[in-house]
Amino acid sequence: MRELLKVLIVDDELMVRVGLSATIRWEEYGFQVIGACENGRQAISEIDRCLPDVIFTDLKMPDMDGFELIRYIRENHFATKIIVLSCLDEVEAVKNAMKMGADDYILKLSLSADGLKKLLGQLKETIAQDKSQTGSEAESSEKSPEKIRQFYSRILQNGIRSQQEEKLFLQYSPRARVCSQFIVCCCVMDAASVPEPEGKDLTPCAIDNILEEFFQELPFYENRQPVPPERMILLGFPDCRCANLETILQYWHKINSVLKTHLNITCSCAVSQPFEHFRQLPKVYALARERLSDCFFTGKESILLCPVESVPKKKVVVSSLVISLQSMIDNRNREGAAAAVREWFQKVGKESQMYSQYSIKAAVSGVWALISGYGPLSEEESKPELLGENDYFFSFFHAEDLEQLAQILLQAVDSLIEIAACGQTTHPEIATLKRYIAEHAEEEISLAEAANRCCLNKTYFCSLFKKEVGETYNEYCERIKMERARVLLLSNNCKVYEVGLRVGIPNESYFSRRFKKYFGISPGQMRQNRELRI
């Protein structure tokens, strides 16, 4: 006998509930009305218990309206189809419901048997297509490790969105049925391993055996690698009183000790707070993964307990560090620079839970960009994947912990102080640009082009150039051109217009005006006045 698709009707009007149920013989079209509820709050209990395929819901109901119900369904039962029961004057409300995730709507007053049959036919076809995406996987008895890994990777990323995925989860983890409380752990093992002589690395098997030894006594235990090298350890308990976090944390400290002693491997792990249903696994695991990233601050071998909710992160402030370092570099003060870096990193370490690993690395990259002359980095420019492998930016984003990041910044600052101590420009691109301007005096190199050559924005380029050279960019270019013109005038018999051409000013009259403004005398007077000869 074919399995009927389950339908739940939710409306505060008795006549609507009864009338919709009696409109057609649902079974003839592959559906079964399993219940009717007066409001969204009653419906949630039925939905969680019966897992209906289709829900017909009103929008205006007491206690919990249809909008809240739609939101709950989309967050917890993604694949369930939602049909809104509406009135003629609810056009805007229906539009909002569709935006929130409703699949279709029908008008209560004009509902007909033919219209309902047509709608059910469309729903049946859509549900069949959805199930075909995971149905073959659920019906198969094969449980290959790769297949299971892919399944866990998918649900941890996208959530458990359908009844079919719930069935598949219970097929792969049947003991989860008896659990009323779960704890999930996100951990990463150190990559160190010693291959066997035959070339086969047995370390993963050894890790599995050690974990099994500690957790096998628990009612439910799953060890998966959804995204290697990350491991997901899911623990289940039939009674909420059995989910003892202190015991689980002690297990992990002992596991870490055994791994280090016997395999020379360290483990960093984040342990979640207990949760009640496996459908919450993706959300809770995301919190554990986020918490695990805090090992950047606490170091390897950290066993961390997750908060109940995600902790909002603050913006990292670096302005004071930039000012301090710029002063230390200008004064060639290595000790002062090292002290400023250490003081800043100590403060960040004390407030580590307020920052993300990436925000700290991006902040340090911003400090380097400013003190080395690159100028402020945009959000796009500070992405790790866009940075070259042979510069400090790359090193910052690949630092394994806070201490290593501090050491890299200290090395970078020290390199700037060494350059400054030698009397060189602290920005090599400025030196290269000056040489280019001197060798191409006949060219008009715009401010925008010059800034682009130095990979700087125009505002910061102007500030940096004035600081490095002692004059503005335009003043420098004018000086180079005019000094070159004076040399040409006094060292050969070039005509004035020819000198103008050779310094990039083809208009003789305009060249003469610029020359006189700079030197106070005309080109002709310059040539006649031998006292000005170089």
Side-chain angles (χ1 to χ4, degrees):
M1 183 178 179
R2 62 179 179 173
E3 183 179 353
L4 299 176
L5 296 172
K6 293 178 285 188
V7 175
L8 180 68
I9 299 171
V10 188
D11 198 296
D12 61 331
E13 297 182 39
L14 176 61
M15 293 306 297
V16 173
R17 300 195 301 271
V18 173
L20 183 57
S21 300
T23 300
I24 61 171
R25 293 183 179 275
W26 293 79
E27 291 79 5
E28 293 181 5
Y29 302 95
F31 291 82
Q32 175 189 14
V33 177
I34 60 169
C37 301
E38 295 182 7
N39 57 55
R41 198 167 302 284
Q42 288 182 10
I44 285 177
S45 177
E46 287 297 302
I47 292 168
D48 290 342
R49 184 175 65 86
C50 302
L51 301 177
D53 299 282
V54 181
I55 295 174
F56 288 82
T57 182
D58 189 16
L59 294 177
K60 297 179 180 179
M61 298 181 290
D63 201 9
M64 178 185 284
D65 63 23
F67 295 105
E68 291 183 70
L69 179 60
I70 291 170
R71 184 179 294 109
Y72 176 83
I73 295 169
R74 282 293 162 257
E75 290 178 353
N76 298 277
H77 303 275
F78 186 84
T80 300
K81 303 305 174 186
I82 304 172
I83 308 300
V84 171
L85 299 170
S86 74
C87 299
L88 289 172
D89 61 347
E90 295 181 329
V91 176
E92 289 302 318
V94 171
K95 287 182 180 178
N96 291 333
M98 299 295 284
K99 290 179 181 178
M100 292 175 63
D103 296 279
D104 209 336
Y105 70 96
I106 56 175
L107 297 174
K108 297 180 185 179
L109 297 180
S110 60
L111 176 63
S112 66
D114 289 341
L116 183 56
K117 292 173 187 177
K118 181 179 179 181
L119 175 61
L120 293 180
Q122 295 170 347
L123 287 171
K124 193 173 183 179
E125 182 178 346
T126 302
I127 292 171
Q129 290 175 352
D130 290 347
K131 287 186 175 182
S132 67
Q133 296 178 6
T134 56
S136 58
E137 196 172 9
E139 293 168 3
S140 172
S141 59
E142 179 189 357
K143 295 184 180 181
S144 68
E146 179 58 21
K147 188 175 183 181
I148 296 174
R149 188 199 68 76
Q150 290 176 357
F151 169 75
Y152 273 97
S153 178
R154 184 171 70 246
I155 66 169
L156 290 177
Q157 180 176 354
N158 302 321
I160 300 176
R161 303 182 301 176
S162 68
Q163 299 168 40
Q164 211 57 37
E165 286 180 328
E166 288 189 18
K167 292 177 182 178
L168 192 56
F169 177 88
L170 292 173
Q171 177 184 328
Y172 289 150
S173 308
R175 288 186 295 168
R177 295 178 186 274
V178 301
C179 298
S180 61
Q181 201 86 5
F182 296 88
I183 290 175
V184 69
C185 310
C186 177
C187 61
V188 173
M189 309 290 179
D190 193 301
S193 62
V194 181
E196 292 295 304
E198 298 83 2
K200 183 178 180 181
D201 186 9
L202 298 179
T203 303
C205 295
I207 293 173
D208 290 340
N209 290 338
I210 291 171
L211 293 173
E212 181 81 20
E213 184 71 26
F214 279 90
F215 292 122
Q216 63 180 347
E217 63 185 54
L218 298 181
F220 172 71
Y221 157 67
E222 286 282 3
N223 171 17
R224 304 295 182 191
Q225 281 191 280
V227 184
E230 187 178 286
R231 284 177 182 264
M232 181 200 75
I233 309 299
L234 181 60
L235 310 173
F237 309 87
D239 189 324
C240 62
R241 290 172 296 181
C242 302
N244 190 311
L245 277 173
E246 188 62 36
T247 301
I248 303 305
L249 292 172
Q250 289 176 5
Y251 277 171
W252 278 111
H253 285 295
K254 292 177 182 178
I255 289 168
N256 231 344
S257 177
V258 173
L259 287 171
K260 192 167 186 178
T261 301
H262 297 283
L263 298 177
N264 193 28
I265 286 177
T266 58
C267 172
S268 300
C269 181
V271 180
S272 81
Q273 298 288 334
F275 56 101
E276 295 181 353
H277 199 283
F278 61 78
R279 283 198 300 269
Q280 298 171 260
L281 173 61
K283 178 182 177 181
V284 178
Y285 189 72
L287 284 174
R289 180 183 282 147
E290 178 182 312
R291 181 68 170 123
L292 185 64
S293 68
D294 288 342
C295 289
F296 176 78
F297 302 101
T298 58
K300 291 183 178 180
E301 302 181 58
S302 296
I303 308 300
L304 306 174
L305 184 62
C306 296
V308 177
E309 296 290 342
S310 180
V311 179
K313 303 299 184 182
K314 292 198 313 183
K315 183 178 180 181
V316 184
V317 179
V318 296
S319 55
S320 61
L321 179 60
V322 170
I323 294 171
S324 296
L325 290 180
Q326 285 179 332
S327 174
M328 300 304 172
I329 291 168
D330 290 342
N331 293 299
R332 321 302 193 250
N333 187 345
R334 283 185 167 85
E335 292 76 14
V341 170
R342 288 294 181 194
E343 181 181 355
W344 188 84
F345 272 89
Q346 285 174 4
K347 182 179 179 181
V348 168
K350 291 177 181 177
E351 302 175 347
S352 60
Q353 289 195 4
M354 301 303 298
Y355 308 112
S356 69
Q357 175 185 153
Y358 174 78
S359 67
I360 295 293
K361 292 178 177 178
V364 170
S365 292
V367 170
W368 171 246
L370 289 169
I371 64 176
S372 64
Y374 282 90
L377 292 177
S378 67
E379 183 176 351
E380 187 69 22
E381 290 171 329
S382 65
K383 290 183 177 179
E385 61 269 22
L386 299 180
L387 301 172
E389 295 188 14
N390 298 318
D391 56 28
Y392 279 113
F393 291 115
F394 183 86
S395 300
F396 294 144
F397 280 100
H398 286 78
E400 293 186 357
D401 53 45
L402 198 64
E403 177 61 27
Q404 187 181 64
L405 182 60
Q407 288 296 332
I408 296 171
L409 180 59
L410 285 171
Q411 293 172 11
V413 172
D414 196 61
S415 70
L416 292 181
I417 293 175
E418 185 174 346
I419 291 172
C422 296
Q424 302 175 28
T425 174
T426 57
H427 198 294
E429 281 82 355
I430 295 293
T432 302
L433 177 65
K434 288 170 65 179
R435 287 195 299 271
Y436 184 88
I437 293 172
E439 294 169 0
H440 299 79
E442 74 279 6
E443 297 180 11
E444 284 287 349
I445 306 168
S446 69
L447 177 62
E449 182 182 353
N452 187 55
R453 281 181 173 273
C454 295
C455 301
L456 304 171
N457 64 56
K458 288 198 296 184
T459 302
Y460 188 76
F461 170 76
C462 291
S463 173
L464 179 67
F465 194 95
K466 178 69 180 292
K467 177 182 176 182
E468 293 280 334
V469 182
E471 56 190 333
T472 68
Y473 173 72
N474 289 332
E475 289 171 345
Y476 178 81
C477 289
E478 187 71 356
R479 178 166 63 83
I480 294 298
K481 285 182 180 295
M482 293 301 104
E483 292 293 345
R484 177 64 53 84
R486 184 173 72 163
V487 170
L488 292 172
L489 281 169
L490 299 178
S491 62
N492 56 52
N493 295 320
C494 290
K495 298 184 182 298
V496 171
Y497 81 88
E498 292 176 334
V499 173
L501 283 173
R502 292 177 67 172
V503 296
I505 309 174
N507 186 299
E508 182 178 353
S509 176
Y510 180 55
F511 166 68
S512 296
R513 289 199 302 273
R514 282 177 64 174
F515 190 94
K516 186 174 183 179
K517 181 179 179 180
Y518 188 84
F519 288 107
I521 58 175
S522 68
Q525 291 173 321
M526 172 72 71
R527 177 167 282 168
Q528 293 171 3
N529 191 342
R530 293 301 166 186
E531 293 180 3
L532 296 178
R533 183 182 297 274
I534 293 179

